[in-house]
Amino acid sequence: MTTLIKGGTVVSSTGADPAEVLIDGEQIAAVLQPGSDIAVAAEQSAEVIDATGRLVVPGGVDVHTHMELPFGGTYASDTFETGTRAAAWGGTTTIVDFAVQRYGENVRECLDEWMAKAEGNCAIDFGFHMIVGGVDNDSLKELDLLVNEGITSFKLFMAYPGVFYSDDGQILRAMQQAAGNGGLIMMHAENGLAIDVLADQAFERGETSPVTHGYVRRPELESEATHRAIQLAKVGAAPLYIVHLSAAEALEQVALARNAGMNVFAETCPQYLHFSLEDHLDRPGFGGAAYVCSTPLRSREDGHQDTLWKGLRTNDLAVVSTDHCPFCMKEQKELGLNDFRAIPNGIGGVEHRMDMIYQGVVTGEIGLPRWIELCATTPARMMGMYPRKGIIAAGSDADVVIYDPNKQWTISVDNHHMNIDHSAYEGVEVTGHVDTVFSRGRKIIDDNQYLGRAGDGQYLRRGLCQYLQ
Ligand code: URP
Ligand code: ZN
Ligand code: ZN
């Protein structure tokens, strides 16, 4: 069964040109010059899809999601089934989620547990990082084995003392282990001990509302942790990937390290580019709870958002992921109605990443190729999945999105597909729309319908970070 997508503009990380895409089975067979003999011949035997006036882009690769994450006494509200289906609606065809190991737990058993949650349920292909919440001799040894099974990145936390937190000694040991096995350390860089002191003091003063979450998680405490992580990575001779970076000061630390030639990489997320502490986290009543996430949304007055867009242009920020971690208002965010410290941390956004970063193309912050580089190509390379994922090229998986660059619409809880009772993006007006999505050659979104099935998505055994080879 072959499919020919013709008439569109094929976008890659290096350009955007008219081309025809021939899909054969699960893979891209060829990218053809329009009107070439081979394209004309292909048209005779293939199902032809007319993409005139539209962009043909590689399926998005979101390397930071948390389906079913246990957090703050509850669980992220998207399952692997609902969350990956929503991702597909938004033009993302690959996720890398986080299996979770906590202190005292066996890494292998935890991985098995997470694999069982995902396998047979995903709408799109998926891989795993491992959250290592308990660095000790046993867990460190397991990391070497995981690398051989395609789990080649490990998330550590300088935040959340008593939950996922690692101290500096544990971090250094994990970095040394990664230096030995080729893995990539992903760091949640916030000084969690200092944050907890400020959070408790604020609560004692009677400051209980969601915005306090943003005030106590000060930019200095993200930048200090980022700096410390970088120094530890230098000592441990390990590459480092800073996750969900939101503060301009933290980006400065990343830029310094990169200018010094270190293998330090960083991602940011759509919420940090489009939302702010003043306009979202400080919404009246309990409304700001929808925007409680860590690192927190930053002040618009201090210009963090503009600095992050700049970082996306300079490549000091190389990846945009979502940190998708949805919690309903009802019974979940509400756990912190009278105490911001008890609001589960996270925003649901796996469905909106491609559109929200495309808004940067619309406003001129970035160009079309950079959109694809940030949302598909670099994440695939960073996490060892390229060129199977992240590019439209002969031999790659046929993960292809047909994108209408001009359609205007408004995001709402009434039209999203994530399993959340609200949308952090409610009322956001968007230019650009995911019309059709192929996942390994199967059309799973078309004509405003989901055509896929739970279990279509396959587990991805990833290679090592390809920026280190
Ligand atoms: O607020 C967030 N980011 N929740 C998910 C857990 C994490 O730290 O990534
Ligand atoms: Zn984190
Ligand atoms: Zn996260």
Side-chain angles (χ1 to χ4, degrees):
M1 167 72 182
T2 59
T3 305
L4 185 72
I5 304 170
K6 63 174 286 194
T9 297
V10 174
V11 186
S12 73
S13 62
T14 54
D17 298 293
E20 301 188 0
V21 179
L22 183 64
I23 297 172
D24 188 3
E26 297 197 349
Q27 293 185 325
I28 293 166
V31 181
L32 304 167
Q33 191 78 14
S36 61
D37 290 350
I38 181 165
V40 172
E43 203 168 330
Q44 306 311 311
S45 54
E47 181 200 354
V48 176
I49 297 181
D50 183 6
T52 302
R54 296 184 289 171
L55 306 174
V56 182
V57 306
V61 178
D62 188 346
V63 298
H64 189 151
T65 66
H66 297 285
M67 309 306 171
E68 307 182 34
L69 179 75
F71 195 103
T74 185
Y75 288 83
S77 57
D78 262 318
T79 62
F80 281 87
E81 180 175 348
T82 63
T84 55
R85 195 165 58 215
W89 276 100
T92 286
T93 51
T94 301
I95 62 161
V96 186
D97 204 273
F98 291 83
V100 180
Q101 181 258 359
R102 281 169 291 204
Y103 191 76
E105 292 178 346
N106 178 278
V107 169
R108 170 72 31 193
E109 284 169 16
C110 294
L111 176 60
D112 292 347
E113 195 186 316
W114 283 85
M115 204 64 95
K117 289 177 203 269
E119 249 173 354
N121 291 318
C122 290
I124 55 171
D125 291 353
F126 66 98
F128 278 119
H129 315 282
M130 176 59 75
I131 285 177
V132 189
V135 176
D136 58 19
N137 290 342
D138 291 341
S139 60
L140 287 174
K141 257 188 257 143
E142 288 286 345
L143 301 191
D144 293 350
L145 303 178
L146 292 195
V147 166
N148 296 326
E149 294 171 35
I151 292 146
T152 53
S153 39
F154 314 112
K155 185 176 179 191
L156 302 176
F157 290 80
M158 301 168 100
Y160 309 139
V163 186
F164 296 132
Y165 175 84
S166 291
D167 66 27
D168 290 352
Q170 290 172 312
I171 290 170
L172 180 60
R173 291 189 71 199
M175 286 173 165
Q176 289 169 331
Q177 198 78 19
N181 63 32
L184 182 64
I185 295 292
M186 307 172 75
M187 188 63 76
H188 181 134
E190 285 187 294
N191 186 325
L193 295 173
I195 285 167
D196 279 6
V197 168
L198 296 181
D200 291 348
Q201 289 171 345
F203 183 76
E204 292 307 321
R205 287 195 300 271
E207 297 165 26
T208 60
S209 72
V211 73
T212 316
H213 173 86
Y215 289 134
V216 301
R217 302 187 92 90
R218 295 176 55 140
E220 294 89 336
L221 299 178
E222 185 184 346
S223 116
E224 182 277 329
T226 305
H227 175 78
R228 187 157 33 101
I230 290 168
Q231 300 312 309
L232 290 169
K234 193 169 183 182
V235 173
L240 177 65
Y241 179 93
I242 305 287
V243 295
H244 50 49
L245 186 149
S246 71
E249 294 88 336
L251 181 56
E252 208 176 301
Q253 296 301 323
V254 169
L256 280 172
R258 291 175 58 79
N259 291 344
M262 287 183 67
N263 281 318
V264 172
F265 310 99
E267 66 170 22
T268 192
C269 311
Q271 55 268 32
Y272 303 123
L273 296 159
H274 290 282
F275 298 158
S276 70
L277 183 145
E278 294 91 339
D279 299 325
H280 298 84
L281 196 52
D282 199 13
R283 288 208 170 157
F286 194 59
Y291 300 94
V292 165
C293 60
S294 298
T295 60
L297 302 186
R298 297 297 180 190
S299 162
R300 174 177 30 77
E301 281 165 21
D302 294 343
H304 294 276
Q305 296 78 7
D306 288 346
T307 305
L308 296 183
W309 280 112
K310 194 168 82 187
L312 292 177
R313 290 193 292 275
T314 61
N315 205 42
D316 288 327
L317 292 169
V319 169
V320 178
S321 61
T322 55
D323 193 10
H324 176 75
C325 192
F327 296 101
C328 291
M329 278 292 191
K330 195 121 200 70
E331 290 175 12
Q332 296 198 298
K333 292 283 185 181
E334 277 177 1
L335 291 167
L337 209 44
N338 302 310
D339 179 354
F340 71 93
R341 297 170 302 176
I343 301 171
N345 285 203
I347 291 182
V350 76
E351 191 170 347
H352 302 312
R353 183 182 63 123
M354 299 298 281
D355 288 325
M356 293 313 296
I357 303 308
Y358 182 72
Q359 302 319 293
V361 178
V362 174
T363 57
E365 294 282 0
I366 55 171
L368 265 184
R370 185 63 178 155
W371 171 49
I372 291 310
E373 190 169 34
L374 290 165
C375 293
T377 316
T378 299
R381 288 184 71 183
M382 191 69 72
M383 298 303 165
M385 297 179 284
Y386 182 90
R388 179 169 173 193
K389 303 294 185 188
I391 184 171
I392 294 180
S396 296
D397 280 358
D399 295 350
V400 180
V401 174
I402 303 178
Y403 196 79
D404 181 341
N406 299 313
K407 181 170 173 176
Q408 302 194 321
W409 61 289
T410 304
I411 299 177
S412 169
V413 65
D414 299 325
N415 59 22
H416 80 193
H417 303 85
M418 300 176 288
N419 185 37
I420 337 175
D421 62 359
H422 66 282
S423 172
Y425 293 84
E426 187 70 40
V428 172
E429 292 176 5
V430 171
T431 299
H433 185 262
V434 171
D435 283 353
T436 305
V437 178
F438 290 87
S439 169
R440 269 185 293 102
R442 282 183 328 275
K443 204 189 283 172
I444 59 170
I445 300 286
D446 194 37
D447 205 14
N448 262 312
Q449 276 185 295
Y450 173 64
L451 307 171
R453 278 176 324 217
D456 281 347
Q458 287 181 355
Y459 172 66
L460 294 165
R461 195 178 269 262
R462 297 183 292 117
L464 299 180
C465 170
Q466 291 162 302
Y467 287 98
L468 303 172
Q469 293 165 350

